[in-house]
């Protein structure tokens, strides 16, 4: 799962630690989500999107879904 969390976080001027504190997760969790090593739970994905004022679809993209649409 791809995401734009690093970009959004930079726009807000937040460090990974600051974002982690706002989401009540570890900085390592934020790093793992940003780098695509970990997909957040649905409640955490909603919390991330809500924090940035975005929809889940705006924050997280499934590259396989994009490939399917392109093939249609």
């Amino acid at each position: 799962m791809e995401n734009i969390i690093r970009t959004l976080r930079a726009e807000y001027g937040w460090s990974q630690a600051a974002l982690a504190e706002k989401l009540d997760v570890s900085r390592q969790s934020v790093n793992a989500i940003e780098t695509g090593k970990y997909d957040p739970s649905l409640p955490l994905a909603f919390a991330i999107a809500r924090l940035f004022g975005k929809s889940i679809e705006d924050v997280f993209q499934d590259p396989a879904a994009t490939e399917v649409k392109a093939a249609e």
Side-chain angles (χ1 to χ4, degrees), residues 4-54:
I4 60 168
I5 295 172
R6 180 172 290 163
T7 301
L8 292 170
R9 183 174 56 75
E11 287 175 7
Y12 279 70
W14 296 339
S15 65
Q16 286 183 343
L19 178 57
E21 186 175 324
K22 293 174 187 308
L23 296 170
D24 197 28
V25 298
S26 69
R27 186 204 55 80
Q28 291 84 354
S29 293
V30 170
N31 180 267
I33 294 168
E34 283 186 356
T35 58
K37 294 178 182 171
Y38 171 74
D39 290 332
S41 66
L42 194 52
L44 181 54
F46 272 110
I48 292 167
R50 189 170 36 251
L51 184 62
F52 290 114
K54 305 277 186 190

Side-chain angles (χ1 to χ4, degrees), residues 45-65:
F46 272 110
I48 292 167
R50 189 170 36 251
L51 184 62
F52 290 114
K54 305 277 186 190
S55 69
I56 286 181
E57 293 84 3
D58 288 340
V59 178
F60 298 94
Q61 300 83 37
D62 181 1

